[in-house]
Amino acid sequence: MSVRLQKFLAQAGFCSRRKAEEYIRAGRVRVAGRVVDEPWFGVVTGQEVRVDDRVLRLESKVYLLLNKPAGYVTTMSDPQGRPTVTELLGAVKERVYPVGRLDFDTEGALILTNDGDFADRILHPRNEVPRTYQVRVKGYPEKILIAKLRRGVDIEGHRTSPARINKIAVNASGSIWEVIIHEGRKRQVRLMFAAIGHPVIHLRRVAYGGLGLGRLAAGRFRHLNPADLAAIIRG
Ligand code: URA
């Protein structure tokens, strides 16, 4: 039996399929001791696959939901030495990595897995998996500004896709909104509200697809079951 090299890297939980192609084309991947720079190369059962000095193994698939607290980065390591979300995963021995990103200051639902195919699937804009955020912003944006956000605003040269936005509460210091988007551009929600002059004060992702945080406390994680994975995709 053989599996394509690019898929092997993703299935081993090393990285997403897209990233795998970059590693392979860069000549950093060896199969049975020889550099292979073709992503479609067939790896036969039993052959050793290495990226740089690391030997990859096909592990069983693990899917986690973490309630990320503020003050953690979602990269695997941080040049500034800040805490990473993997530090919150205790005894999980498989090498999982975050699906998409949450900012250092953002809290809430973060999926981690070693299944690169699943990660690609829920991240791909074509599949329109919704991400639901609860956002506290400075002040109370006028209706016309919220309508603008719903239609799409230009951030860093790109127009955002239509968003669903519902008012949750208004008080003296600001207002709280539910924002549902299908994209995951860097700092997207913060940039959207900044673009209408109402900076974000607090940001929490409350659901990924149809999977909410439930009673999961900040800093805790749980393993996901097939029904949870189906809920993420169903949206
Ligand atoms: N949008 C943001 O601005 N930040 C996040 O962390 C997630 C979405």
Side-chain angles (χ1 to χ4, degrees):
M1 218 185 84
S2 79
V3 56
R4 282 195 301 129
L5 183 55
Q6 182 177 6
K7 195 167 176 188
F8 188 103
L9 263 62
Q11 286 188 346
F14 184 76
C15 57
S16 71
R17 259 203 232 192
R18 245 172 290 168
K19 274 264 171 242
E21 183 168 354
E22 288 173 27
Y23 280 104
I24 297 165
R25 294 216 185 271
R28 292 173 63 180
V29 181
R30 284 171 188 270
V31 179
R34 289 183 44 205
V35 171
V36 175
D37 60 6
E38 292 165 353
W40 54 87
F41 180 89
V43 181
V44 178
T45 310
Q47 281 186 314
E48 186 192 76
V49 177
R50 278 178 186 262
V51 180
D52 300 331
D53 286 336
R54 211 176 121 203
V55 178
L56 303 190
R57 301 196 193 290
L58 296 183
E59 304 174 315
S60 52
K61 301 279 181 277
V62 180
Y63 307 87
L64 308 173
L65 171 67
L66 170 73
N67 185 352
K68 175 193 174 298
Y72 285 80
V73 293
T74 54
T75 45
M76 303 300 278
S77 65
D78 183 53
Q80 296 172 48
R82 294 173 296 180
T84 70
V85 287
T86 46
E87 291 168 32
L88 298 168
L89 301 183
V92 175
K93 62 179 189 325
E94 292 86 357
R95 189 185 142 106
V96 291
Y97 58 94
V99 178
R101 62 170 87 81
L102 286 180
D103 302 333
F104 184 69
D105 290 331
T106 303
E107 301 173 5
L110 183 70
I111 314 278
L112 297 110
T113 183
N114 55 0
D115 182 346
D117 287 338
F118 181 77
D120 283 346
R121 184 163 167 204
I122 65 173
L123 280 173
H124 200 292
R126 186 186 54 220
N127 296 326
E128 298 203 347
V129 175
R131 288 83 149 159
T132 306
Y133 295 89
Q134 210 177 80
V135 192
R136 182 143 53 88
V137 304
K138 195 168 165 202
Y140 180 34
E142 288 177 23
K143 267 192 178 152
I144 192 168
L145 294 176
I146 293 297
K148 210 169 155 182
L149 285 189
R150 287 191 178 120
R151 282 195 307 271
V153 281
D154 289 328
I155 54 171
E156 295 177 342
H158 293 281
R159 173 150 292 223
T160 57
S161 300
R164 286 194 357 233
I165 305 187
N166 302 308
K167 183 169 65 188
I168 297 177
V170 180
N171 58 33
S173 65
S175 49
I176 302 176
W177 302 83
E178 179 189 69
V179 175
I180 304 174
I181 55 176
H182 296 118
E183 304 168 293
R185 295 213 204 119
K186 201 168 177 189
R187 301 183 69 79
Q188 176 156 346
V189 175
R190 293 177 196 275
L191 292 173
M192 284 168 65
F193 280 90
I196 60 160
H198 289 273
V200 168
I201 298 165
H202 182 253
L203 182 57
R204 190 154 75 103
R205 183 154 67 197
V206 293
Y208 202 113
L211 184 72
L213 280 170
R215 292 171 173 274
L216 195 61
R220 306 303 290 264
F221 71 91
R222 70 175 179 88
H223 285 265
L224 299 179
N225 59 38
D228 294 322
L229 302 185
I232 294 174
I233 290 163
R234 208 170 43 238

